[in-house]
Amino acid sequence: MANEKRLFGTFGVRRTANDVLTPEFATRLAACYGTQIQGTVAVGGDTRTSSPMLIEAVKAGLLSSGCDVVDLGILPTPGVQYAVRKYYDGGVMITASHNPPKYNGIKFLDEYGIGIPDDMELAIEELYFDSEPKRAEWHEIGQIYHNDKIIDEYVDEAISKVDAEAIREANLKVVVDCGSGAGAYTAPYLIRKLGCDVTTLNCQADGFFPGRDPEPIEENLQELISVVKELGADIGLAHDGDADRTICIDEKGNFVLGDKTFTLVERQMLKENDGGIIVTTVATSQAIYDIAEEYNGEVIATAVGDLLVARKLHEKDGLFGGEENGGLIFPDFVYGRDAVMTVAKILEILALEKKSLSELVGELPVYYASKTKIECPDDQKQNVMSSIAEEIKTTTDFELDLTDGVKILKEDGWVIIRPSGTEPIFRCFAESDSQDKADEMTEWGLSLIKKYKK
């Protein structure tokens, strides 16, 4: 269970910067990771004010354990994952993704560029708390190298995987909002290299995030929405702080939900490859299954978390994967959510289909979702879930999926009740063929939780 971990969350260690996450903490943690890797490790960071400080601290810890270090500078998380998979033995990314500016975090990667597995996290914690990391002799301390070419290579490689000619001929008008995050170093250049007319918002790197909060939810993207409408653009694109997620705004200024983007790209990938394995989480839309059925795909569902999706894609040689929050994974490029490939692919779909984004989204299966949450003490979560599962099993003939929390599948939709890994709450998601039914199902989900909660 995740609770046994003393430092790590769902992906890496995230804390408030320079309070828990001090240089001393980062150096020791990095030395513990370096003790496990004993090779060449790439290090990068996002645009937060604390990132340069933590990058230097992490580099020192890695060198101390005898690892060589390649400094990649400030760039998107998937840029580091790309570099590690191609060239290095491990990687460390300093980022707190979409969290507010006072946070930062340290993500450790394995040799495939996937977040490290649980057993390695536990081994690192054991070294950190109960023993000592390896400290290299003076003549075996690692060396520092720099690779400032990686961003261009990463962008160019993504372009090589799409029909760039078709995109250039389409003369698309694009507005991109990087939220002053690491996407500022990739997105505007990528879109321009693809021959689009690009207008940028918040594309100056700034750890104070002056233009908007780094989380790309609808209320934070009002400026992007109005600029898309003003300019009559074909599409608006927004990224989170470390540019692994992409949110689209259609030509009419509508916010496109992440699972619509997923389904649109899934359809294109299955068409091009004549089918394949799609990996997503149990909390994702039925639309993904509908499209897979139509285009010869097979869907594998994991527990919630992009790391689990990435690992399953690697294990099963999957074609495409992701989550409903705009985090799409293209396993032949990066084993993790990646915004560069997502943008290139979406622009390619617009160019090849010769339809507007709202028309394309309109062709997708329609489902209505409802999301809510309720407080519940951590020590009661297990009992609440097993009681609900037991009740459904004994009193109904609904199908149950216990991959992550309790997912109840009914004829006209589903509801999932899952505990948060980071706070004392249950999240309750439902999806159905009408908004009323979806809302009704989340209400039912909440009532089941209340029934068994002390």
Side-chain angles (χ1 to χ4, degrees), residues 75-150:
L75 74 171
T77 296
V80 179
Q81 292 177 285
Y82 168 85
V84 170
R85 178 175 175 179
K86 270 192 96 162
Y87 303 114
Y88 310 119
D89 303 309
V92 186
M93 176 69 186
I94 309 300
T95 177
S97 187
H98 57 268
N99 287 49
K102 67 175 181 184
Y103 288 89
N104 215 328
I106 305 176
K107 290 183 172 179
F108 296 105
L109 306 171
D110 70 10
E111 73 270 33
Y112 303 108
I114 304 176
I116 57 172
D118 290 344
D119 54 356
M120 195 188 220
E121 290 186 338
L122 291 167
I124 290 170
E125 290 184 348
E126 201 277 324
L127 284 170
Y128 186 95
F129 290 109
D130 310 324
S131 53
E132 284 302 314
K134 174 186 165 183
R135 299 294 181 181
E137 303 258 337
W138 66 270
H139 56 87
E140 285 173 342
I141 291 170
Q143 301 202 4
I144 291 202
Y145 303 92
H146 290 265
N147 180 350
D148 49 10
K149 301 271 186 294
I150 201 75

Side-chain angles (χ1 to χ4, degrees), residues 384-402:
V384 168
M385 287 190 294
S386 43
S387 305
I388 294 173
E390 195 46 45
E391 174 181 330
I392 298 300
K393 244 188 251 158
T394 50
T395 63
T396 71
D397 50 7
F398 300 140
E399 199 185 321
L400 274 181
D401 180 341
L402 304 177

